[in-house]
Amino acid sequence: MRSKYLLIVSPEKWTPSQRERAEILFELYPDIEMAYSLTYSLRMIFAQKCDKEAGRKSIKKWYAKVGEFDNKAFNDIVICSLPSGGTLHDVINIADSSLIFTMPQKVLA
């Protein structure tokens, strides 16, 4: 349970002991490291200010990485968090400030 907090904050905010725990945790459980990395990278996509096309490309790359990860539990969470019942073939509108862009049709295999 001591590693729970470090999984919800960015690595820049980790203390030296949390950084050490993360290294141990990620070495023992590489799927947790990949899930953390994907979650963090999605946060960074929404933190940046960019135009519509750049946002579309970033999200498309992120979903491709999710598909490559091929972790059913993580993918199920991603799918369930989507609007309209979680089908990846539906159009997904994402709003960030004044940006709204649409997801491509084929995201995960």
Side-chain angles (χ1 to χ4, degrees):
M1 279 301 179
R2 294 179 62 181
S3 299
K4 181 179 170 182
Y5 177 75
L6 68 89
L7 293 174
I8 59 173
V9 298
S10 64
E12 300 84 38
K13 295 181 181 177
W14 290 347
T15 65
S17 65
Q18 289 170 329
R19 192 169 310 284
E20 185 178 331
R21 280 198 299 269
E23 287 178 18
I24 294 167
L25 178 70
F26 294 158
E27 184 177 314
L28 293 173
Y29 303 99
D31 278 358
I32 291 176
E33 180 177 21
M34 184 58 146
Y36 176 80
S37 175
L38 287 167
T39 303
Y40 182 73
S41 64
L42 183 61
R43 285 183 195 156
M44 294 300 94
I45 290 170
F46 283 103
Q48 64 182 319
K49 300 294 181 193
C50 61
D51 64 29
K52 189 168 146 179
E53 188 57 33
R56 180 182 292 127
K57 286 179 183 177
S58 293
I59 291 291
K60 184 177 179 180
K61 286 180 187 178
W62 185 83
Y63 272 114
K65 288 178 185 175
V66 170
E68 291 169 10
F69 182 32
D70 196 32
N71 180 291
K72 183 174 173 9
F74 187 83
N75 291 351
D76 286 350
I77 291 169
V78 170
I79 290 169
C80 290
S81 68
L82 300 176
S84 67
T87 60
L88 290 174
H89 297 289
D90 293 334
V91 176
I92 302 165
N93 292 322
I94 300 174
D96 183 21
S97 301
S98 61
L99 295 178
I100 296 178
F101 48 94
T102 306
M103 279 299 302
Q105 290 292 322
K106 176 127 171 113
V107 209
L108 292 177

